[in-house]
Every structure is written in C-alpha cells, then in structure tokens.
Amino acid sequence: MSSTEFTDPDVPPPTESTGSPTAPTRRTFIATTTAVGGAVVVGGFIAGSDFINADDAEAGEAAPSSRVSLTVNGSRRTVTVDNRTSLLDLLREHLDLTGSKKGCNAGACGACTVLVDNRRVNSCLTLAARLEGAEVTTVEGLSDGDELHPLQQAFIDEDAFQCGYCTPGQIMSGVGCIKEGHTGSAEEIREFMSGNICRCGCYVKIVRAVEQTAGRK
C-alpha cells in the first residue's frame, strides 16, 4: 500500500536566496514593525498620561475670583466667588436660596427670573461679580412673614400653576411687569412676559393673576 504525498501547488519549491544576506525577510519585517509599533503605542500612552497630568495640574490652579457685596432680599451679603459664577448659582449654591430654578441655563425659559434693582433679569445669564452694590429680590423675598405678596396670592386664587417649576420665575416676572407699568392690557402682559415659558400651558391663568394684582379685576 503506497502512501500519498500531498503538496501545495501554490507554494513554489524553496530556492536558493540570491539577494543580500542582510536583506530582511517577510518574517523579520513583520516582527520588527510590530515591535516598533508597540513601542510607539506604549510611548503614546505614556505621553498621554503626561499631558493629562499637566491638564490636571493646570485645572487645579485657583480660578480668578472676586469679593462681592450686594443686598439680597433686604439683607447685606458679602461673598467671594469665581468670576464665572452666575447670579443663579450664587443664589442657589452659595446663599441657599433655591426658589429661583435652573431650567435651560441659557436665558430662554425664564425659570430663573429675579429682580436686580427692581428690573427683571435672567439670573443664569447675569455674572455675580458684576453686581457690586446691587439690590436683588428673589421669590423668597416677596412675602412679609406669613403674608404672601399679592401676586403670590393671585396665583393661588387663579390656580395659575400646575407642576410649579416655572412658577417662581413667572411670579418674579409678573412683579417686574407690574413695576415697569406693562399691564395696560392682557395682550401687553403676554408680550412683556413672553420670555417666561410654562410647559404646562397655564398662560391664561397667569395673565389673569397679573391682571388681578395690577388692579384690573
């Protein structure tokens, strides 16, 4: 019984090398490039770690800050804050006045509305460092003890809220609207409070509450 020898027709028979004895073979080429590539990758990770450490060190440096004195709801407050701190973050994070809500944090919803020197502002867009000597009123400062501000009471009377998240900003905007004299008609109230969004859709009742407080009802 004879044995059968299998050969690969695609593989040419070995021949004697005619090239330079120092010429790299395919195997040595792959091995060399793999080793070099691994070194580059490892070196990259090491370099990357150095960069991260440098960034961490830079981030750890103290940011520029300012000492600011302002009156908040009738009380004089002096704080030292990062120059990038918004009035909203100053109120919520430093003074524990959380009535002003952080909605969009881009000045588009009005949930953070407060009064600065009796004018309405979006506190998320107002830098605290620029308010030296200013007088700030938040929704917490409207009531007199247990006696609600007339607009706060009007919101209850007219059921002018649902989820309540936008309500502090709506009330502060309404107070500002009344102080500014923009309550000549329901249309005027809607126009000058258009920056305050109520996702529950209580606009009709909100306008009625402002009208009631302004003495039109």
Side-chain angles (χ1 to χ4, degrees):
M1 183 173 174
S2 61
S3 61
T4 304
E5 184 175 358
F6 293 92
T7 59
D8 189 346
D10 296 329
V11 180
T15 59
E16 185 176 350
S17 175
T18 58
S20 170
T22 59
T25 65
R26 180 173 180 273
R27 177 175 297 178
T28 57
F29 176 78
I30 293 175
T32 303
T33 54
T34 301
V36 173
V40 171
V41 171
V42 172
F45 281 127
I46 295 173
S49 299
D50 291 340
F51 290 140
I52 292 172
N53 292 335
D55 291 341
D56 289 342
E58 184 177 351
E61 295 178 1
S65 60
S66 297
R67 188 175 178 84
V68 183
S69 294
L70 66 167
T71 301
V72 181
N73 297 331
S75 299
R76 192 70 173 175
R77 309 296 292 267
T78 300
V79 292
T80 299
V81 294
D82 186 313
N83 286 347
R84 299 164 295 183
T85 301
S86 68
L87 173 57
L88 177 60
D89 285 339
L90 170 65
L91 295 172
R92 293 181 59 86
E93 307 298 333
H94 296 264
L95 303 182
D96 294 326
L97 296 172
T98 57
S100 304
K101 303 304 181 187
K102 181 174 287 191
C104 65
N105 207 34
C109 72
C112 66
T113 303
V114 299
L115 302 183
V116 175
D117 296 331
N118 288 323
R119 304 291 293 185
R120 293 175 290 170
V121 302
N122 291 318
S123 60
C124 71
L125 297 183
T126 304
L127 288 175
R130 300 185 64 182
L131 296 179
E132 177 66 31
E135 182 174 344
V136 178
T137 305
T138 72
V139 70
E140 292 94 339
L142 290 182
S143 61
D144 184 7
D146 293 333
E147 183 178 353
L148 296 177
H149 184 278
L151 186 55
Q152 290 175 307
Q153 186 61 53
F155 263 67
I156 296 173
D157 296 341
E158 297 292 341
D159 194 23
F161 51 86
Q162 190 166 321
C163 78
Y165 194 85
C166 76
T167 302
Q170 297 281 1
I171 290 175
M172 296 309 301
S173 186
V175 170
C177 196
I178 293 170
K179 288 179 178 290
E180 295 161 16
H182 297 307
T183 57
S185 65
E187 291 74 19
E188 186 178 13
I189 294 172
R190 284 194 290 268
E191 174 66 24
F192 281 89
M193 291 189 63
S194 60
N196 290 80
I197 296 174
C198 175
R199 291 176 174 85
C200 300
C202 297
Y203 296 111
V204 172
K205 295 179 179 180
I206 290 171
V207 171
R208 287 177 183 169
V210 176
E211 287 179 324
Q212 175 180 314
T213 306
R216 299 191 67 251
K217 290 185 65 178

